[in-house]
Amino acid sequence: MKRNRFKYLAFGAFLALTFTLTTGCSKNGDGGGDGTIRFWVYQPSKPEDQTAYKNLMTEFKEETGISVQLLMIVKDSYNQAINSALSSRSKPDMAYLDQPKISDFADDGTLACLDDYIAESEVIDNSKFFQSGLATSIYKGKQYGVPLNMTTSVLFYNKNIVGEEAPKSWDEWLNTPIENSQHSLFDGIGTGGYAGWYYQDFLANNGGKLLNDAGTAVAFNDAKGVAAAKMIQDLYTFDKRQASQNRSSNNAFGRGQIAYKLGSSNDIDALDTNFPTLNYGIAKIPPSVAGQTSYSNMGGENLVVFDHSPNKKNCIKLIEFLLRKENINRIASFTGNFPAIEEYASVDSIPVVREESRARKAVILDQLSTSVPRPVIPK
């Protein structure tokens, strides 16, 4: 009798394991913790914003009775810190996750699949997100994150060098007259992750893609990809020593030495704070041919729940709380980015250092409508 009972239990365990592996979206492991959510976020740069974030967690506890241990980490150290924490006892239940990390963590089983939780939620509505932002949370047809903040790249230009109007095509951009020998054309695309981040801008504006539609093969090794790389090479003006010196010096665009740079919301705030007299404009990134659609990249953070967490249901409640209009806008204000819920994204809802920069950030909001997510593939 005991032997048969063991056989039935073993067979049941086998079926449960098979179901989990097949669906990849089990809600097993929910419950059994103390209910407290360990929540990791980027540390806001301003002390008053850090206090505001803590107050937000207090409001959540007052409303739900659920405690949140909020850990704020400087963004530059965040990925390394979270990788270390996931192999220790101090694992977070829920966290910010940079969009490209979704596929890595989903692929190795670190993240909880959220499909069933979202289907049951009366608050989380995928149709309300910027769809390019939502796409960053989907891996192999399953959802592993909820979009929170979004930003994209735009073209910054020095009006004292360029004039009032930004270029409308690559030819106009390349052929901008630079009359002062101490000035140069372009600030560059950086190194490491920034190189790939900005290369996508040029590729999309030349009609190219990083991967094929199925996400199974490289697609930028064609004439469009080569032309995009050639455009960057030409912007660098390697034959001019001054251009190299300007690119390697600190804050050269802010000091008025460079005609163009690529940047996003936080660059506007930094320039307005550190270089308040800089006469600059913001424009959508020029397509290769004037009159075509301008495209840009997609950046931002998603909220994720870790598969090891025994507090998944509480984490979903916190996500629902953070997605409320007043809360998601408050969090977006910490970075100067926009809420990932399209109807809540407004230039009136985000802070600016200088009031004239509200119009500059409106360009970013407009550019978001044609932003392109990075491929959701591991590594």
Side-chain angles (χ1 to χ4, degrees):
M1 184 70 178
K2 288 183 178 180
R3 183 178 298 175
N4 287 338
R5 183 183 179 189
F6 175 77
K7 287 169 63 178
Y8 293 142
L9 288 172
F11 182 67
F14 170 76
L15 287 178
L17 177 61
T18 302
F19 178 77
T20 299
L21 293 175
T22 302
T23 62
C25 211
S26 170
K27 292 169 68 174
N28 290 343
D30 199 0
D34 65 0
T36 298
I37 300 170
R38 294 176 296 277
F39 181 30
W40 284 36
V41 304
Y42 296 155
Q43 178 176 287
S45 57
K46 298 178 182 178
E48 58 267 31
D49 289 341
Q50 296 172 26
T51 300
Y53 218 144
K54 294 175 184 177
N55 291 341
L56 200 59
M57 297 303 99
T58 300
E59 291 174 22
F60 175 71
K61 182 178 180 180
E62 291 172 349
E63 180 178 312
T64 64
I66 300 169
S67 297
V68 179
Q69 293 178 358
L70 183 68
L71 183 59
M72 295 181 281
I73 300 172
V74 176
K75 187 174 182 179
D76 289 345
S77 307
Y78 188 86
N79 287 339
Q80 182 178 355
I82 205 164
N83 284 333
S84 299
L86 290 173
S87 59
S88 70
R89 292 184 178 180
S90 58
K91 298 179 177 69
D93 295 284
M94 175 176 151
Y96 282 11
L97 200 62
D98 194 14
Q99 293 166 349
K101 296 289 183 181
I102 291 284
S103 55
D104 288 351
F105 285 21
D107 191 64
D108 65 13
T110 301
L111 300 182
C113 176
L114 302 181
D115 286 341
D116 290 344
Y117 295 102
I118 292 173
E120 295 172 358
S121 174
E122 297 180 358
V123 176
I124 304 173
D125 184 349
N126 283 341
S127 69
K128 291 186 176 182
F129 297 112
F130 284 97
Q131 291 306 292
S132 54
L134 179 64
T136 67
S137 70
I138 308 296
Y139 177 64
K140 292 186 175 180
K142 301 185 185 299
Q143 188 167 348
Y144 290 92
V146 175
L148 181 67
N149 293 328
M150 291 179 56
T151 190
T152 188
S153 299
V154 290
L155 185 69
F156 288 61
Y157 61 100
N158 184 320
K159 292 184 177 182
N160 291 341
I161 299 175
V162 174
E164 291 295 322
E165 295 294 326
K168 301 295 191 298
S169 68
W170 285 5
D171 281 343
E172 286 185 27
W173 191 357
L174 279 175
N175 292 303
T176 301
I178 306 296
E179 298 175 356
N180 189 322
S181 62
Q182 298 303 305
H183 295 165
S184 56
L185 185 63
F186 183 54
D187 193 48
I189 64 170
T191 58
Y194 281 105
W197 163 249
Y198 285 131
Y199 174 68
Q200 187 179 24
D201 287 338
F202 292 91
L203 183 63
N205 278 299
N206 198 36
K209 296 181 178 180
L210 289 170
L211 298 181
N212 63 7
D213 291 338
T216 57
V218 167
F220 64 91
N221 58 338
D222 60 5
K224 294 177 180 178
V226 171
K230 179 66 165 53
M231 173 62 179
I232 297 171
Q233 181 182 28
D234 291 345
L235 283 171
Y236 266 64
T237 53
F238 286 106
D239 57 324
K240 297 180 180 179
R241 182 187 298 270
Q242 187 64 44
S244 177
Q245 291 176 348
N246 285 347
R247 283 196 305 273
S248 61
S249 64
N250 291 328
N251 300 313
F253 181 84
R255 291 185 282 107
Q257 294 178 306
I258 297 179
Y260 300 103
K261 76 182 298 292
L262 297 173
S264 57
S265 296
N266 59 328
D267 294 291
I268 293 175
D269 296 334
L271 287 172
D272 289 350
T273 299
N274 300 315
F275 303 96
T277 62
L278 180 67
N279 184 22
Y280 73 100
I282 300 290
K284 296 169 73 170
I285 297 177
S288 57
V289 177
Q292 294 183 344
T293 300
S294 167
Y295 293 98
S296 190
N297 46 33
M298 164 62 58
E301 296 77 49
N302 295 332
L303 293 170
V304 298
V305 179
F306 293 99
D307 197 53
H308 61 252
S309 173
N311 302 308
K312 296 185 183 70
K313 289 182 179 179
N314 285 353
C315 290
I316 296 300
K317 291 179 182 178
L318 179 55
I319 290 174
E320 292 174 338
F321 176 79
L322 296 177
L323 292 183
R324 292 179 187 172
K325 183 176 181 179
E326 64 274 18
N327 295 339
I328 196 172
N329 273 293
R330 198 184 312 183
I331 294 170
S333 73
F334 299 158
T335 59
N337 294 338
F338 287 95
I341 296 177
E342 193 166 3
E343 66 179 290
Y344 298 162
S346 164
V347 292
D348 296 325
S349 66
I350 57 175
V352 290
V353 177
R354 296 165 60 185
E355 190 57 36
E356 57 264 41
S357 281
R358 209 168 289 281
R360 293 173 177 138
K361 291 195 176 185
V363 177
I364 293 178
L365 183 56
D366 188 23
Q367 184 80 81
L368 273 172
S369 64
T370 54
S371 57
V372 180
R374 285 161 282 184
V376 186
I377 57 170
K379 311 302 178 187

